[in-house]
Amino acid sequence: MNEEMIIKTEYSDVMQKSYIDYAMSVIVARALPDVRDGLKPVQRRTLYDMHELGIRSDRPYRKCARIVGDTMGKYHPHGDSSIYEALVVMSQDFKKGLPLVDGHGNFGSIEGDGAAAMRYTEARLQRVSEEALLADLDKDIVDFIPNFDETEKEPGVLPARIPHLLINGAEGIAVGMSTSIPPHNLGETIDAMKAYMKNPKLTVEELLQIMPGPDFPTGGIVINKDDLTDIYKTGSGKIKLRGKVEVEKLKGGKEQLVITQIPYTMIGANIGKFLNDISMLVETKKTTDIVDITNQSSKEGIRIVLELKKGADTERLTNMLYKKTRLEDTFGVNMLAVADGRPETLGLTQIFDHVIDFQFELNTRKYRTLLNKELDKKEIQEGLIKACDVIDLIIEVLRGSRDLKMAKACLMNGATEGIRFKSERSKKQAARLRFTERQAAAILEMRLYKLIGLEIEALMREHDTTMKNIARYSEILNNYDEMAKVIMRELDKFRKAYSVPRKTAIENAKEAVFVEKKAEEMPVVFLMDRFGYCRTVDEATYDRNKEAADTESRYVISCRNTDRICIFTDSGKMHTAKVLELPFGKFRDKAFPIDNYSNYDSSKERIVCLCSMEELLSARMLFVTRRGMGKTVNGIEYDVRTKTSVATKLNEEDEVLYAGFAGENMQIVMQSEEGYFLRLPIQEIPEKKKAAVGIRLMRLGEKDSLENVYLFESRTEQSIIYKEKEVALHKLKAGSRDQKGTKLRI
């Protein structure tokens, strides 16, 4: 009977060790690429599985569902979505400068359209993947490791013959770290790697003369060339990117701005956001020069056209696009990769060091395997040549032997016992035979047609070729310079086959200067309807349409165009919106949701108070929550520049029911859902900081909560309708804080 052993340990130690193990597993086995082949595990496994399934570039496409299922079942048990996503990204030429997968079907678009489901799409390997990443796997060129359930073998790394990590770049988020490596031009990267192999003392500055910097598939312009040296030395930094803007002349003296290249960071939904940002600049009157915006992008490339008014200042507009939209953006570089089994931030020369060492390791293993095969062939060939010279004796041995074992023993050791020979001379000659085991086996398996003269000549020629190969492979293995030449010739072959012209320009550009025309300060009226659509009009327009404006609007606020609108929500937050950014114009002009101009989200929050910042700063805010908590706050506390800040702290499962200005001589009446009413003078409610919860104003039953809060001036009459009966609030018995209140019997 087995006795259970209870190990006592500190819980925090167990949690710490478990989390570190999990973090390292994610870092090394899922999220980060290997510096040697530039692939994350899911990419490596997908490519290897396609190789194993025989889905080559010269064979028919196969369903992606088949590839994903096979990869998940054999090598990557982390869900089909991650595998299919990796497969899709490896096929997208706008994300990868060197696509590794040839996709057939809808594999998404640069504008953020997703790929079709894997059951509809098909794929196969690109030729470059077979030649540069998967070639020679049968030559013991890399180590194979057991898969997750030890039923299959998979390569620990693919035998990449190019610096793939730099060419295609990488992105990944691990635990506590992330990687972001920009893509580079294949031809330039190979040239730089060759130069570094010839002279390992080359500096980053000298290497950047050969490969000037990143080359993004979307083109664009890198505008901080001088910063690249530090980025490539340290492996981290920020690359500033701009889209390419061209000015096209039209008839009648008009011009239009055409965006033909975008920053790499704009790929996907950010293109739509960019178009929205331009529309917003027009709607908020930041510019009046743009007449129309059309997105004419297609498979041929990006083409976003901005039609301009006659006489428009194109340089000012271009600078405005750079400053106010994502047409100028930042690509954060963090060249983090797995090197020697651990995550490491690598500079350019360090990456080349690892890749070059890997190339020498690959070629050493490859040519050692080839040399051993040639040596085996040499042994057999020499045995067959020698056998042809004494073929009559060998035939005599075979005819005189009782079995194969006896014949083989004679060929290898000259054992003649039991073998019948025609003469004593033949027996003496047979006793001198000393073939190796491999040679003896080859002789015994040799067919008679091999004795034809031409076949013997072919065998001699084959032997000469084998000897040349042995000499060549030995020279490569024993001479560093020879192996370096082999690697460089192979790199030249890939450069010739797959190099493309650079797309991204690299320069030191001046910072875009855009000075907004300072708006003339003026009084305006803010209008917002019950659906949250808002706009501003001047006072004269409001006065002319006062009745309609008051009827149709939920909020009407007089303010200045330089002011901010403050939005207090039931979640205890205050959002702000600049009045200048709100649509301004005629009374019947189109209004837009307040969500567009602030962080307020109408799907998750409810507005409880809306006011101008100028009004708020000279007032005192009253807050009352569903659970009966309350306080007042000095409006000065809300003088912040952030778009969202804390309005009041809330307890769990509580929300703001009421927020509004609290005058000095006011009365507050709170009404609960169960019909309890409590009247207090406003002086009873203390002033607190905005980060405080407040105090309990009304004691509520376990299932009760506040339903309404009413404020009115002291010594004035105030009535409401409650359950179809009129209730005079000013006649209710005055109470104190933390009381249950009076229940009305109606």
Side-chain angles (χ1 to χ4, degrees):
M1 182 177 175
N2 293 330
E3 291 186 5
E4 290 186 3
M5 184 184 293
I6 297 174
I7 300 171
K8 291 186 178 181
T9 184
E10 182 65 36
Y11 184 70
S12 60
D13 294 341
V14 176
M15 287 298 294
Q16 186 177 17
K17 183 181 182 304
S18 299
Y19 193 76
I20 289 171
D21 291 345
Y22 160 73
M24 286 305 297
S25 172
V26 171
I27 290 164
V28 176
R30 287 176 77 171
L32 300 186
D34 193 297
V35 68
R36 296 170 293 176
D37 62 5
L39 296 169
K40 293 193 277 189
V42 64
Q43 296 170 324
R44 184 181 304 120
R45 288 164 175 167
T46 304
L47 292 174
Y48 177 67
D49 186 73
M50 292 175 75
H51 173 75
E52 285 295 286
L53 290 172
I55 313 172
R56 315 287 167 81
S57 59
D58 56 350
R59 296 186 186 176
Y61 295 95
R62 295 281 287 276
K63 283 286 185 187
C64 290
R66 170 67 198 277
I67 299 166
V68 170
D70 204 65
T71 304
M72 184 166 61
K74 287 182 178 178
Y75 309 116
H76 196 75
H78 301 296
D80 55 358
S81 59
S82 63
I83 300 170
Y84 186 50
E85 186 180 342
L87 184 69
V88 167
V89 169
M90 286 192 288
S91 74
Q92 292 175 329
D93 57 4
F94 52 86
K95 282 191 179 175
K96 299 289 181 186
L98 187 70
L100 304 177
V101 171
D102 180 8
H104 184 239
N106 176 13
F107 275 79
S109 75
I110 194 170
E111 295 183 27
D113 301 314
M118 68 181 86
R119 61 182 179 275
Y120 300 120
T121 53
E122 297 176 322
R124 64 185 178 189
L125 288 170
Q126 291 275 16
R127 189 160 66 94
V128 67
S129 301
E130 298 168 22
E131 295 177 356
L133 296 176
L134 294 159
D136 298 328
L137 277 170
D138 58 338
K139 294 183 176 66
D140 189 33
I141 199 166
V142 292
D143 291 331
F144 277 71
I145 56 176
N147 70 338
F148 62 92
D149 61 359
E150 300 188 359
T151 58
E152 301 277 346
K153 292 278 188 180
E154 61 174 308
V157 62
L158 291 187
R161 305 307 176 85
I162 54 176
H164 179 250
L165 182 71
L166 288 170
I167 291 167
N168 264 341
E171 287 182 1
I173 299 172
V175 177
M177 58 182 70
S178 65
T179 185
S180 180
I181 303 171
H184 297 78
N185 184 272
L186 181 140
E188 293 172 356
T189 309
I190 285 176
D191 288 344
M193 180 170 158
K194 284 172 58 187
Y196 190 70
M197 285 179 70
K198 292 174 184 175
N199 181 10
K201 293 181 180 178
L202 283 179
T203 63
V204 170
E205 290 90 338
E206 291 168 325
L207 288 171
L208 290 179
Q209 296 294 317
I210 304 168
M211 52 169 288
D215 185 23
F216 296 100
T218 55
I221 307 163
V222 172
I223 62 169
N224 59 331
K225 183 179 179 181
D226 288 346
D227 295 340
L228 294 182
T229 303
D230 284 338
I231 290 171
Y232 283 103
K233 277 181 180 176
T234 61
S236 62
K238 290 181 179 178
I239 293 173
K240 290 181 181 175
L241 277 169
R242 277 183 188 169
K244 189 176 180 183
V245 183
E246 297 174 355
V247 180
E248 292 184 358
K249 305 280 186 185
L250 300 175
K251 291 179 181 178
K254 284 188 176 182
E255 292 177 324
Q256 63 183 20
L257 291 180
V258 182
I259 296 151
T260 55
Q261 294 178 0
I262 58 172
Y264 188 64
T265 51
M266 203 193 279
I267 289 174
N270 286 325
I271 293 179
K273 187 177 185 306
F274 169 66
L275 295 171
N276 285 338
D277 288 344
I278 298 175
S279 300
M280 203 59 66
L281 290 172
V282 175
E283 286 163 8
T284 55
K285 304 293 191 293
K286 290 283 172 64
T287 178
T288 56
D289 290 337
I290 299 175
V291 176
D292 192 23
I293 311 162
T294 53
N295 185 3
Q296 300 174 9
S297 304
S298 62
K299 288 183 179 178
E300 280 66 50
I302 291 291
R303 183 177 169 84
I304 298 169
V305 180
L306 307 182
E307 192 180 328
L308 309 179
K309 283 182 180 177
K310 190 173 181 179
D313 186 342
T314 54
E315 186 178 350
R316 183 177 183 277
L317 270 175
T318 303
N319 285 338
M320 182 183 72
L321 293 177
Y322 287 147
K323 293 297 276 187
K324 294 291 184 182
T325 71
R326 293 192 71 168
L327 195 61
E328 180 176 313
D329 207 354
T330 300
F331 182 93
V333 176
N334 185 28
M335 298 202 287
L336 184 73
V338 176
D340 299 325
R342 65 177 186 272
E344 193 175 338
T345 301
L346 305 165
L348 182 61
T349 54
Q350 291 171 293
I351 291 175
F352 278 144
D353 284 334
H354 283 288
V355 172
I356 291 166
D357 288 347
F358 185 53
Q359 295 308 307
F360 275 93
E361 181 190 336
L362 291 178
N363 281 278
T364 300
R365 292 182 64 161
K366 174 184 174 180
Y367 285 105
R368 190 178 291 133
T369 301
L370 290 174
L371 178 62
N372 290 335
K373 284 184 179 178
E374 293 298 319
L375 289 171
D376 290 344
K377 281 167 67 177
K378 170 179 174 280
E379 181 184 344
I380 292 167
Q381 287 164 356
E382 288 178 346
L384 292 175
I385 290 167
K386 184 179 171 185
C388 287
D389 293 337
V390 290
I391 192 65
D392 293 333
L393 177 62
I394 290 172
I395 291 171
E396 195 173 334
V397 169
L398 295 176
R399 293 186 69 181
S401 299
R402 285 196 308 271
D403 53 32
L404 187 65
K405 185 178 179 182
M406 185 180 285
K408 194 171 184 180
C410 181
L411 292 173
M412 291 173 61
N413 306 314
T416 57
E417 290 179 16
I419 300 175
R420 297 190 309 275
F421 290 95
K422 290 181 181 179
S423 66
E424 194 64 30
R425 184 169 174 270
S426 297
K427 187 174 182 180
K428 287 180 180 178
Q429 288 177 336
R432 291 196 291 271
L433 293 175
R434 291 294 184 275
F435 290 102
T436 67
E437 187 175 355
R438 276 206 192 95
Q439 289 172 337
I443 291 166
L444 292 170
E445 291 170 4
M446 183 175 68
R447 298 190 178 186
L448 288 174
Y449 78 85
K450 290 285 185 182
L451 300 175
I452 298 170
L454 290 175
E455 288 293 327
I456 294 171
E457 287 178 21
L459 179 63
M460 298 296 288
R461 286 196 302 272
E462 191 179 331
H463 181 251
D464 289 341
T465 304
T466 300
M467 294 306 292
K468 287 177 184 175
N469 287 341
I470 289 170
R472 173 72 180 138
Y473 298 156
S474 298
E475 186 182 14
I476 291 170
L477 286 167
N478 297 322
N479 190 318
Y480 178 93
D481 291 337
E482 279 302 312
M483 186 172 284
K485 286 179 185 175
V486 169
I487 294 169
M488 285 192 270
R489 275 199 296 272
E490 203 164 43
L491 287 170
D492 285 336
K493 182 184 74 173
F494 290 121
R495 191 191 192 290
K496 186 178 178 182
Y498 301 110
S499 180
V500 293
R502 164 173 279 278
K503 293 179 180 177
T504 302
I506 295 178
E507 59 187 52
N508 282 315
K510 292 179 182 176
E511 187 174 348
V513 178
F514 172 70
V515 181
E516 288 189 49
K517 292 176 183 175
K518 199 165 183 181
E520 185 182 341
E521 190 172 333
M522 61 180 283
V524 294
V525 178
F526 169 85
L527 304 172
M528 190 173 95
D529 64 20
R530 61 194 178 92
F531 300 109
Y533 281 72
C534 65
R535 63 193 184 282
T536 58
V537 295
D538 59 45
E539 287 187 325
T541 302
Y542 172 70
D543 290 339
R544 285 196 303 272
N545 301 275
K546 187 175 188 310
E547 188 177 345
D550 291 348
T551 303
E552 297 170 10
S553 303
R554 182 180 173 188
Y555 293 101
V556 178
I557 300 171
S558 294
C559 56
R560 304 193 75 75
N561 60 346
T562 53
D563 203 352
R564 285 177 290 161
I565 297 296
C566 302
I567 307 157
F568 291 90
T569 70
D570 60 349
S571 61
K573 294 176 184 174
M574 183 189 81
H575 306 290
T576 61
K578 291 180 180 177
V579 177
L580 272 174
E581 293 179 354
L582 303 176
F584 173 79
K586 299 175 183 176
F587 180 66
R588 289 300 176 191
D589 279 358
K590 189 178 179 183
F592 291 89
I594 191 75
D595 307 42
N596 293 2
Y597 309 98
S598 67
N599 292 337
Y600 167 66
D601 186 348
S602 57
S603 65
K604 297 177 181 176
E605 300 174 284
R606 179 177 59 85
I607 297 175
V608 292
C609 180
L610 203 141
C611 62
S612 71
M613 180 63 80
E614 186 179 356
E615 195 178 11
L616 176 61
L617 295 180
S618 59
R620 199 160 55 114
M621 284 294 292
L622 168 67
F623 292 95
V624 182
T625 73
R626 288 271 181 201
R627 299 303 304 155
M629 304 299 287
K631 66 177 180 182
T632 60
V633 182
N634 192 322
I636 293 292
E637 288 208 37
Y638 298 105
D639 188 12
V640 292
R641 291 289 157 191
T642 54
K643 290 191 83 171
T644 300
S645 60
V646 174
T648 182
K649 189 177 178 182
L650 294 170
N651 289 324
E652 278 188 40
E653 297 183 7
D654 201 359
E655 65 180 34
V656 178
L657 173 65
Y658 177 88
F661 296 144
E664 287 296 326
N665 297 307
M666 297 194 83
Q667 296 282 319
I668 177 174
V669 175
M670 292 166 283
Q671 174 224 317
S672 78
E673 290 182 349
E674 293 183 356
Y676 287 90
F677 285 77
L678 178 63
R679 177 164 70 92
L680 298 172
I682 206 78
Q683 291 87 346
E684 284 269 325
I685 303 175
E687 186 175 302
K688 300 276 187 182
K689 295 291 184 184
K690 67 177 184 179
V693 174
I695 63 163
R696 189 160 66 178
L697 300 181
M698 183 174 179
R699 199 181 330 134
L700 298 166
E702 190 177 336
K703 296 182 180 179
D704 200 4
S705 62
L706 288 188
E707 187 174 29
N708 283 307
V709 174
Y710 307 101
L711 241 65
F712 59 94
E713 289 284 345
S714 298
R715 300 187 182 86
T716 60
E717 295 183 0
Q718 180 76 25
S719 297
I720 61 162
I721 302 298
Y722 176 69
K723 293 188 178 180
E724 300 181 359
K725 298 286 185 181
E726 186 176 348
V727 177
L729 298 180
H730 58 284
K731 292 183 178 179
L732 290 173
K733 181 183 176 184
S736 300
R737 289 185 331 223
D738 201 20
Q739 288 185 342
K740 196 168 184 179
T742 305
K743 184 162 186 176
L744 296 187
R745 306 291 180 184
I746 297 177

